[in-house]
Amino acid sequence: MTKIDFRPKQTLGQNFLVDENVARKIVNSFAATKDDVVIEIGAGLGVLTKYLVEDCKHLIAVEIDRHLIEKLKNQFSMLENFTLLEGDFLKMDFEPYFSERPLRIIGNIPYHITSPVIFKIFEVRQFFKNLQLMIQREVGQRIVAKPSTKDYGILSVFSQFYSKPQLVFHVSPNVFKPKPDVESSVINWDFENAPEFQVKDMELFRAVVRSSFNQRRKMLRKSLQKLPGISHKLGEIKFDMRKRPEELIVDEFVELSNLLSD
Ligand code: SAH
C-alpha cells in the first residue's frame, strides 16, 4: 500500500487508490494502445495516470483540485504526450478532441458525480470508443441490470441503449485511502458495439423512459398520462399499457415510443 502525503478532501470525493496491483489491473483491463487518445477524469495523485500515459498516444488528465494539479504538473508535465486540464470535468468542453480517433475515457471518479459524468458522456458518445469508470457497486449493478429485477431502471435502459455495458470487476474498499463506506466496481460502456435501434423521436424516447420509471410501481398507462401531447394516443396504440416499466426490455421502450410518435 502506497503512503499518501496529502490531506484528502471529502467534498471533492477524494478516495485515493493506494494499491498498485489494483491500479495496474484497471489500466490493463482498459488496454489502451499507442493509437488511443485517452481522457482521464480526476487524476488525483496519478496512480492510474502514470500507467496510462505510457500506454497511449496522448493522455488528457482532468483534475479539479489546485494542490493536486501542482503535484501532477511536477510529475508529468515533462512528458510530451501529456496534457493537464484544470477544472470541473462536468463543465468542460471536449469538442477540441472530438476529431481524435480512437478517443476513450477512464476515471476513478468521485461517486457523487457518477450520474452527471455518465450522462455527459452519453450526450457525445458518438465521438468515444468507450468509457470505463470505477463507481459504487450498487450503481454498477443498476447499469448492467436485466429487466424485471429491482436494479433495472433509467441507468440500465440508457446504458444498454447507448452502449454495451459490462462489469469488469469488483473492488474492495480496503484499497483506498481514506477507505470509502461502499464497495466499488469497474464498469465499461462499449459505445462501438452498442446495439442498433431505430428511434423515430429521441426526445420522446427519453421522456417515455424517464416518466415510466418516475413511478416504477405504476402501470405505463398511468405514468405516461402526464407526458405532453400523447395522452390521446395511450388508449389507441397496440401496446400492453398495463405493464410496469421494469418489465420492458430496451427494444420495447423503443417500440412504445415509436408507436406514440406516429
Ligand atoms: N483517480 C485517482 C483519484 C480518485 S479520487 C485515484 O484513483 O486515486 C477522485 C478525484 O477526482 C480526486 O482527485 C478529486 O480531486 C477529483 N475530482 C473531484 N471532482 C472533480 C470534478 N468535478 N472534475 C474533475 N476532477 C474532480
Side-chain angles (χ1 to χ4, degrees):
M1 293 280 172
T2 319
K3 280 223 167 73
I4 53 171
D5 58 342
F6 185 80
R7 185 191 294 236
K9 298 180 188 70
Q10 217 177 14
T11 50
L12 292 179
Q14 290 177 348
N15 297 95
F16 297 102
L17 177 62
V18 290
D19 185 320
E20 287 299 324
N21 290 326
V22 176
R24 267 192 295 263
K25 199 170 154 191
I26 290 171
V27 175
N28 286 344
S29 66
F30 188 68
T33 74
K34 284 288 175 198
D35 293 327
D36 294 339
V37 175
V38 177
I39 297 172
E40 188 196 0
I41 314 168
L45 291 160
V47 67
L48 303 181
T49 319
K50 62 178 184 289
Y51 298 117
L52 289 167
V53 76
E54 276 181 17
D55 287 354
C56 69
K57 181 166 86 180
H58 182 189
L59 182 69
I60 299 137
V62 180
E63 178 51 60
I64 199 170
D65 185 316
R66 199 162 36 89
H67 295 102
L68 291 173
I69 286 282
E70 283 314 308
K71 286 177 174 286
L72 290 163
K73 265 189 199 154
N74 291 339
Q75 197 177 348
F76 299 108
S77 62
M78 69 295 278
L79 301 175
E80 259 176 34
N81 66 336
F82 181 77
T83 303
L84 189 56
L85 302 179
E86 178 173 1
D88 182 348
F89 172 81
L90 296 172
K91 294 187 180 142
M92 280 181 189
D93 176 12
F94 293 96
E95 211 190 312
Y97 300 105
F98 287 166
S99 56
E100 307 269 6
R101 292 290 145 80
L103 186 58
R104 310 179 58 192
I105 186 153
I106 184 172
N108 289 354
I109 59 167
Y111 294 164
H112 64 276
I113 61 168
T114 303
S115 278
V117 166
I118 296 171
F119 282 102
K120 181 181 170 106
I121 301 303
F122 282 174
E123 288 302 310
V124 290
R125 71 200 170 277
Q126 70 266 34
F127 302 108
F128 288 91
K129 183 175 164 177
N130 75 315
L131 163 70
Q132 182 183 301
L133 295 178
M134 169 108 77
I135 60 177
Q136 195 177 328
R137 183 165 169 163
E138 279 77 17
V139 182
Q141 274 165 356
R142 279 155 53 194
I143 282 151
V144 298
K146 297 274 171 285
S148 300
T149 63
K150 69 170 179 18
D151 289 326
Y152 189 68
I154 291 176
L155 268 177
S156 334
V157 173
F158 285 126
S159 290
Q160 295 166 30
F161 177 79
Y162 290 131
S163 78
K164 196 172 155 199
Q166 212 172 15
L167 165 71
V168 186
F169 51 81
H170 298 301
V171 180
S172 146
N174 298 322
V175 299
F176 298 95
K177 267 185 196 157
K179 186 172 149 175
D181 298 328
V182 295
E183 304 256 327
S184 305
S185 298
V186 175
I187 301 286
N188 184 56
W189 290 258
D190 178 350
F191 298 118
E192 276 190 333
N193 295 303
E196 282 189 28
F197 299 104
Q198 303 299 328
V199 176
K200 291 184 180 165
D201 180 342
M202 264 316 289
E203 281 309 308
L204 183 60
F205 169 74
R206 284 196 269 227
V208 165
V209 175
R210 286 186 185 279
S211 313
S212 310
F213 281 110
N214 275 344
Q215 295 169 285
R216 65 178 292 135
R217 303 270 159 258
K218 299 234 166 92
M219 294 183 202
L220 296 166
R221 188 174 56 209
K222 178 100 175 114
S223 36
L224 295 182
Q225 254 161 18
K226 294 196 192 85
L227 271 185
I230 55 147
S231 56
H232 62 287
K233 295 181 190 166
L234 293 175
E236 292 167 15
I237 57 170
K238 277 208 168 61
F239 197 95
D240 184 358
M241 298 301 282
R242 291 166 305 181
K243 283 193 172 175
R244 289 167 174 81
E246 63 183 30
E247 296 173 75
L248 267 54
I249 60 171
V250 179
D251 269 302
E252 288 172 307
F253 276 109
V254 172
E255 186 193 341
L256 172 58
S257 75
N258 282 350
L259 286 169
L260 289 171
S261 82
D262 286 334

